[in-house]
Amino acid sequence: MKITRLKTWQVPPRWLFLKIETDEGCYGWGEPVIEGRAATVEAAVHELADYLVGQDPHRIEHLWNTLYRAGFYRGGPILMSAIAGIDQALWDLKGRDLGVPVHQLLGGAVRDRMRMYAWTGGDRPDDVGAGARALVDQGFTAFKMNGTPEMQIVDSHRKVDEAVARVAEARNAVGPDVGIGIDFHGRVHRPMAKALLRELEPFHPMFVEEPVAPEHLPCLKQIAGGLGYPLATGERLHSRFEFRDLLADGMIDIVQPDLSHCGGISEGLKIAALASAHDVALAPHCPLGPLTLAASLQLDAVCHNAFIQEQSMGIHYNRDNDVLDYLVDKSALAIEEGFCAIPQGPGLGVEIDEAFVEERARVGHRWRNPVWTHEDGSIAEW
């Protein structure tokens, strides 16, 4: 069997789909994308196609190393996201060819279903209490919210008080037993994070995510020691090597690799194993589409340290299409009582409606994240 073609589609709301085809008619789907840079990743995928066409798609690890090492320059969000979607598609293809789900190829499932969480509150968090209560009524046992809108490097304590009040509102709405993930989104700089992390402790967060931007993670040793709840990060780390250094510092309790950003299932499995060796939990990042979610669930299935899975159904970014729209069988990713059964179909376990993908690709997208400024006109972290 030989790879013959890589086809890509930019589809609403902000995703990029990839299909790898072969001379024997077998195929696989993946989702190589960076939010807001879909066209750049798409170009990288087609550059990398030069290393793939004519090759045996079953040699996934060899092809991964070829893509990663043969170009000399390596790593970073664009190249690793392109590799990630290709890797997903190769695993999907292999599973389809052999008639088994990917998790069977990775040693078999350690669980039957995965606990899921949903988003509430939007970019500038608002009405978090009502939103959280609605999610609990749908059966979710956990949710995530943005902790704060933009915050200057040194800001007023009023901003801290407002953030704490929003978390208090959410906690009061759902009671003590529901998990609350609080995403700082890298918006909180070290001087303010010192205060806010401690002010949140009485509300028992399930975790605080991206407590500082990824380039400032070393400061957690000074500002977050002794906290009584977990810290999480990883969506903007792109290889096992970046996670290795983070885990060695011992300041993160949950790693959140994104399987469309970190090199795919192959690299995600290595990151999960590294985390397990440090007794650190796994919670893959996934505010993306159905292929990233399906790939994440296949990884969750085989990782004992996986404890919860993000998903983006109904998230505020999904204005034109949502996760299930692109599936032939929408039940493959159905969430019931806060859990999703591990997909059991061949490959990633989902079937993409290619005709609908073609239709929506004619609409396409040019999604960009908001550009925020502070009151003085300087750029704020989004």
Side-chain angles (χ1 to χ4, degrees):
M1 185 186 295
K2 304 296 182 186
I3 296 170
T4 55
R5 184 166 63 163
L6 282 73
K7 297 172 63 178
T8 53
W9 299 265
Q10 291 186 46
V11 296
R14 54 179 189 163
W15 305 330
L16 178 70
F17 289 172
L18 162 69
K19 185 182 183 185
I20 295 180
E21 299 178 339
T22 68
D23 58 354
E24 295 186 11
C26 197
Y27 61 87
W29 289 86
E31 195 170 332
V33 69
I34 279 283
E35 301 93 300
R37 299 292 181 265
T40 312
V41 177
E42 185 174 32
V45 167
H46 289 289
E47 287 185 331
L48 292 173
D50 293 348
Y51 298 94
L52 296 168
V53 172
Q55 298 300 310
D56 177 0
H58 285 177
R59 298 184 66 191
I60 298 174
E61 189 69 15
H62 172 68
L63 293 176
W64 195 99
N65 278 285
T66 301
L67 298 176
Y68 182 78
R69 300 178 191 280
F72 187 71
Y73 296 100
R74 59 189 67 170
I78 302 303
L79 289 175
M80 294 304 285
S81 296
I83 292 172
I86 292 168
D87 182 81
Q88 292 172 14
L90 291 173
W91 279 109
D92 188 42
L93 189 157
K94 188 166 189 172
R96 289 174 182 275
D97 188 38
L98 299 177
V100 295
V102 168
H103 66 259
Q104 289 287 14
L105 303 176
L106 301 177
V110 301
R111 57 176 53 83
D112 302 320
R113 58 181 189 156
M114 192 66 191
R115 186 185 180 201
M116 312 294 285
Y117 70 85
W119 268 89
T120 191
D123 263 343
R124 287 190 169 95
D126 186 38
D127 290 333
V128 293
R133 184 68 254 170
L135 292 173
V136 171
D137 290 343
Q138 292 173 36
F140 286 99
T141 61
F143 65 90
K144 188 163 75 179
M145 56 181 282
N146 276 312
T148 178
E150 59 269 55
M151 185 176 280
Q152 288 186 307
I153 188 167
V154 176
D155 214 318
S156 68
H157 207 277
R158 175 179 60 83
K159 291 280 189 74
V160 173
D161 289 341
E162 289 172 349
V164 171
R166 281 187 290 270
V167 175
E169 176 188 349
R171 176 57 75 201
N172 289 336
V174 300
D177 298 326
V178 173
I180 303 178
I182 305 166
D183 193 354
F184 281 16
H185 217 251
R187 297 171 184 171
V188 186
H189 296 268
R190 171 183 172 143
M192 303 309 296
K194 287 198 298 184
L196 185 52
L197 286 169
R198 282 170 169 75
E199 294 277 356
L200 292 174
E201 195 153 20
F203 305 100
H204 306 296
M206 179 172 64
F207 56 76
V208 164
E209 177 175 332
E210 280 206 315
V212 291
E215 57 265 39
H216 300 308
L217 285 169
C219 80
L220 291 180
K221 288 179 287 188
Q222 287 79 43
I223 71 172
L227 283 178
Y229 59 84
L231 297 178
T233 199
E235 68 191 74
R236 289 190 276 181
L237 303 179
H238 305 107
S239 73
R240 79 196 86 152
F241 308 109
E242 294 178 20
F243 281 92
R244 174 195 62 196
D245 299 337
L246 173 70
L247 290 162
D249 274 343
M251 288 307 302
I252 288 294
D253 309 290
I254 303 165
V255 293
Q256 299 173 303
D258 188 309
L259 295 197
S260 281
H261 302 339
C262 77
I265 294 169
S266 296
E267 190 74 349
L269 189 63
K270 297 175 177 71
I271 292 164
L274 270 176
S276 179
H278 290 81
D279 205 21
V280 167
L282 172 71
H285 179 255
C286 184
L288 293 166
L291 291 159
T292 312
L293 179 55
S296 299
L297 289 165
Q298 295 295 333
L299 181 67
D300 293 329
V302 300
C303 295
H304 191 268
N305 56 332
F307 87 103
I308 202 164
Q309 177 60 56
E310 181 176 26
Q311 53 82 34
S312 72
M313 298 176 202
I315 201 171
H316 46 288
Y317 307 123
N318 295 356
R319 294 180 179 175
D320 300 308
N321 285 108
D322 214 323
V323 174
L324 302 182
D325 293 352
Y326 292 96
L327 298 185
V328 173
D329 178 8
K330 295 172 175 47
S331 68
L333 295 177
I335 299 173
E336 298 180 1
E337 296 301 316
F339 285 83
C340 183
I342 302 299
Q344 297 299 318
L348 296 180
V350 296
E351 192 63 57
I352 295 296
D353 184 342
E354 188 168 347
F356 187 68
V357 169
E358 293 276 4
E359 175 187 330
R360 298 306 292 157
R362 288 193 285 272
V363 175
H365 69 85
R366 195 173 174 83
W367 189 87
R368 298 291 184 267
N369 62 258
V371 178
W372 289 356
T373 58
H374 296 299
E375 292 179 358
D376 62 4
S378 61
I379 291 292
E381 297 281 357
W382 168 72

